[in-house]
Amino acid sequence: MRVTCVVNGETRQADDVWPGESLLYVLRERLGLPGAKNACEQGECGSCTVYLDGLPVCSCLVAAGQADGRTITTVEGLATGSGEEQLDRVQRAFLATGAVQCGFCTPGLIVAVHDLLARDPAPTDPDIREALAGNLCRCTGYEKIMEAVRLAATS
């Protein structure tokens, strides 16, 4: 099947998509967008989080065909161009605080934080923890991630 959708503001098309393919696979392997990561394939870790029609979803759980005709924003699409000055405030905050460790969880965390700050520009620490509960990081104790969220909220 053919899947056509708007990805990061650009109409994109993937051909020969088989019915069981995930949106994550299409984004990474067919459209060349490696930002969303393939970690658990069960929607448990949050590493593959993207926006689908403005709502954060685990792209490993979305069948590619469900994305046909819809709008997707990946972590790559949050930046307005190339170069650090073009990064979204959440991306800049993660860099500034050292919240990026191995980087595997980072794209999903950034999308989750971006969504949180769009809904609540001044979240409390409990609000941040709740918003990030679906994102797992094996490298940190989450404190640098919390610092990044606090910094992004004040930027």
Side-chain angles (χ1 to χ4, degrees):
M1 95 176 99
R2 173 178 288 164
V3 174
T4 304
C5 46
V6 175
V7 181
N8 299 332
E10 181 182 325
T11 300
R12 302 288 301 268
Q13 182 176 295
D15 291 320
D16 300 321
V17 175
W18 56 277
E21 243 171 74
S22 68
L23 174 58
L24 175 62
Y25 184 86
V26 168
L27 290 170
R28 289 181 59 80
E29 305 302 328
R30 295 187 181 276
L31 300 181
L33 295 167
K37 302 299 184 213
N38 185 4
C40 73
E41 295 184 338
Q42 298 176 14
E44 296 290 330
C45 71
S47 294
C48 66
T49 303
V50 300
Y51 284 112
L52 181 62
D53 291 338
L55 297 173
V57 299
C58 290
S59 59
C60 71
L61 297 180
V62 177
Q66 291 177 299
D68 191 47
R70 299 175 77 180
T71 301
I72 300 154
T73 304
T74 68
V75 69
E76 294 98 334
L78 297 181
T80 58
S82 61
E84 190 171 332
E85 67 280 354
Q86 302 299 315
L87 295 176
D88 179 79
R89 67 180 173 150
V90 176
Q91 293 167 317
R92 287 192 309 272
F94 267 67
L95 288 173
T97 61
V100 177
Q101 295 279 316
C102 79
F104 215 77
C105 67
T106 305
L109 281 163
I110 287 173
V111 173
V113 171
H114 186 270
D115 179 63
L116 168 64
L117 296 179
R119 292 181 289 108
D120 183 356
T124 64
D125 281 2
D127 294 334
I128 296 167
R129 285 187 194 94
E130 182 177 342
L132 300 183
N135 296 80
L136 302 179
C137 176
R138 293 184 177 104
C139 297
T140 70
Y142 293 91
E143 190 51 41
K144 294 291 186 186
I145 294 166
M146 295 290 289
E147 288 177 27
V149 180
R150 292 183 203 113
L151 178 60
T154 62
S155 322

